[in-house]
PDB file of all heavy atoms in Angstrom:
ATOM      1  N   ALA A1070     -62.829 194.348   1.966  1.00  0.00           N
ATOM      2  CA  ALA A1070     -61.480 194.191   1.431  1.00  0.00           C
ATOM      3  C   ALA A1070     -60.791 192.976   2.035  1.00  0.00           C
ATOM      4  O   ALA A1070     -60.091 192.223   1.351  1.00  0.00           O
ATOM      5  CB  ALA A1070     -60.671 195.460   1.687  1.00  0.00           C
ATOM      6  N   HIS A1280     -66.198 163.344 -39.902  1.00  0.00           N
ATOM      7  CA  HIS A1280     -67.118 162.283 -40.301  1.00  0.00           C
ATOM      8  C   HIS A1280     -68.439 162.470 -39.555  1.00  0.00           C
ATOM      9  O   HIS A1280     -68.478 163.048 -38.469  1.00  0.00           O
ATOM     10  CB  HIS A1280     -66.524 160.907 -40.004  1.00  0.00           C
ATOM     11  CG  HIS A1280     -65.371 160.559 -40.898  1.00  0.00           C
ATOM     12  ND1 HIS A1280     -64.146 161.173 -40.789  1.00  0.00           N
ATOM     13  CD2 HIS A1280     -65.248 159.672 -41.922  1.00  0.00           C
ATOM     14  CE1 HIS A1280     -63.327 160.685 -41.705  1.00  0.00           C
ATOM     15  NE2 HIS A1280     -63.966 159.781 -42.401  1.00  0.00           N
ATOM     16  N   GLU A1313     -43.490 142.219 -26.766  1.00  0.00           N
ATOM     17  CA  GLU A1313     -43.289 143.555 -26.216  1.00  0.00           C
ATOM     18  C   GLU A1313     -42.362 143.474 -25.015  1.00  0.00           C
ATOM     19  O   GLU A1313     -42.203 142.413 -24.400  1.00  0.00           O
ATOM     20  CB  GLU A1313     -44.622 144.168 -25.799  1.00  0.00           C
ATOM     21  CG  GLU A1313     -45.413 143.348 -24.797  1.00  0.00           C
ATOM     22  CD  GLU A1313     -46.738 143.999 -24.459  1.00  0.00           C
ATOM     23  OE1 GLU A1313     -46.701 145.092 -23.850  1.00  0.00           O
ATOM     24  OE2 GLU A1313     -47.784 143.428 -24.799  1.00  0.00           O
ATOM     25  N   ALA A1425     -54.234 134.438 -69.131  1.00  0.00           N
ATOM     26  CA  ALA A1425     -55.061 135.521 -68.590  1.00  0.00           C
ATOM     27  C   ALA A1425     -54.758 135.670 -67.103  1.00  0.00           C
ATOM     28  O   ALA A1425     -54.649 134.669 -66.384  1.00  0.00           O
ATOM     29  CB  ALA A1425     -56.537 135.231 -68.814  1.00  0.00           C
ATOM     30  N   LEU A1438     -45.520 160.211 -35.254  1.00  0.00           N
ATOM     31  CA  LEU A1438     -44.542 160.562 -34.222  1.00  0.00           C
ATOM     32  C   LEU A1438     -45.250 161.495 -33.245  1.00  0.00           C
ATOM     33  O   LEU A1438     -45.723 162.562 -33.626  1.00  0.00           O
ATOM     34  CB  LEU A1438     -43.328 161.261 -34.835  1.00  0.00           C
ATOM     35  CG  LEU A1438     -42.238 161.693 -33.852  1.00  0.00           C
ATOM     36  CD1 LEU A1438     -41.584 160.475 -33.201  1.00  0.00           C
ATOM     37  CD2 LEU A1438     -41.187 162.540 -34.571  1.00  0.00           C
ATOM     38  N   ASP A1554     -59.595 160.581 -63.736  1.00  0.00           N
ATOM     39  CA  ASP A1554     -59.631 161.849 -63.023  1.00  0.00           C
ATOM     40  C   ASP A1554     -58.219 162.327 -62.696  1.00  0.00           C
ATOM     41  O   ASP A1554     -57.344 161.536 -62.359  1.00  0.00           O
ATOM     42  CB  ASP A1554     -60.436 161.694 -61.731  1.00  0.00           C
ATOM     43  CG  ASP A1554     -61.894 161.355 -62.002  1.00  0.00           C
ATOM     44  OD1 ASP A1554     -62.587 162.204 -62.569  1.00  0.00           O
ATOM     45  OD2 ASP A1554     -62.304 160.232 -61.653  1.00  0.00           O
ATOM     46  N   THR A1593     -63.000 177.498 -50.774  1.00  0.00           N
ATOM     47  CA  THR A1593     -62.844 177.152 -49.368  1.00  0.00           C
ATOM     48  C   THR A1593     -64.208 177.033 -48.713  1.00  0.00           C
ATOM     49  O   THR A1593     -65.062 177.926 -48.857  1.00  0.00           O
ATOM     50  CB  THR A1593     -62.003 178.208 -48.626  1.00  0.00           C
ATOM     51  OG1 THR A1593     -60.722 178.324 -49.262  1.00  0.00           O
ATOM     52  CG2 THR A1593     -61.807 177.810 -47.178  1.00  0.00           C
ATOM     53  N   VAL A1640     -63.273 160.380 -52.551  1.00  0.00           N
ATOM     54  CA  VAL A1640     -63.132 161.602 -53.339  1.00  0.00           C
ATOM     55  C   VAL A1640     -63.434 162.803 -52.438  1.00  0.00           C
ATOM     56  O   VAL A1640     -64.235 162.710 -51.503  1.00  0.00           O
ATOM     57  CB  VAL A1640     -64.082 161.607 -54.555  1.00  0.00           C
ATOM     58  CG1 VAL A1640     -63.669 160.550 -55.561  1.00  0.00           C
ATOM     59  CG2 VAL A1640     -65.525 161.385 -54.117  1.00  0.00           C
ATOM     60  N   ASP A1684     -78.349 155.953 -61.419  1.00  0.00           N
ATOM     61  CA  ASP A1684     -78.714 154.626 -61.913  1.00  0.00           C
ATOM     62  C   ASP A1684     -77.839 154.257 -63.101  1.00  0.00           C
ATOM     63  O   ASP A1684     -77.733 155.010 -64.083  1.00  0.00           O
ATOM     64  CB  ASP A1684     -80.187 154.588 -62.338  1.00  0.00           C
ATOM     65  CG  ASP A1684     -81.124 154.726 -61.156  1.00  0.00           C
ATOM     66  OD1 ASP A1684     -80.761 154.238 -60.072  1.00  0.00           O
ATOM     67  OD2 ASP A1684     -82.198 155.326 -61.318  1.00  0.00           O
ATOM     68  N   SER A1687     -70.994 153.830 -63.018  1.00  0.00           N
ATOM     69  CA  SER A1687     -69.947 152.948 -62.511  1.00  0.00           C
ATOM     70  C   SER A1687     -68.652 153.725 -62.379  1.00  0.00           C
ATOM     71  O   SER A1687     -68.389 154.650 -63.149  1.00  0.00           O
ATOM     72  CB  SER A1687     -69.738 151.761 -63.450  1.00  0.00           C
ATOM     73  OG  SER A1687     -68.557 151.059 -63.129  1.00  0.00           O
ATOM     74  N   ASN A1822     -80.243 135.775 -38.966  1.00  0.00           N
ATOM     75  CA  ASN A1822     -80.031 135.272 -37.616  1.00  0.00           C
ATOM     76  C   ASN A1822     -78.865 134.290 -37.602  1.00  0.00           C
ATOM     77  O   ASN A1822     -78.615 133.583 -38.582  1.00  0.00           O
ATOM     78  CB  ASN A1822     -81.299 134.644 -37.038  1.00  0.00           C
ATOM     79  CG  ASN A1822     -81.660 133.338 -37.695  1.00  0.00           C
ATOM     80  OD1 ASN A1822     -81.282 132.269 -37.209  1.00  0.00           O
ATOM     81  ND2 ASN A1822     -82.385 133.391 -38.818  1.00  0.00           N
TER      82      ASN A1822
END
Side-chain angles (χ1 to χ4, degrees):
H1280 290 71
E1313 57 182 294
L1438 179 65
D1554 296 294
T1593 302
V1640 292
D1684 292 327
S1687 168
N1822 71 94

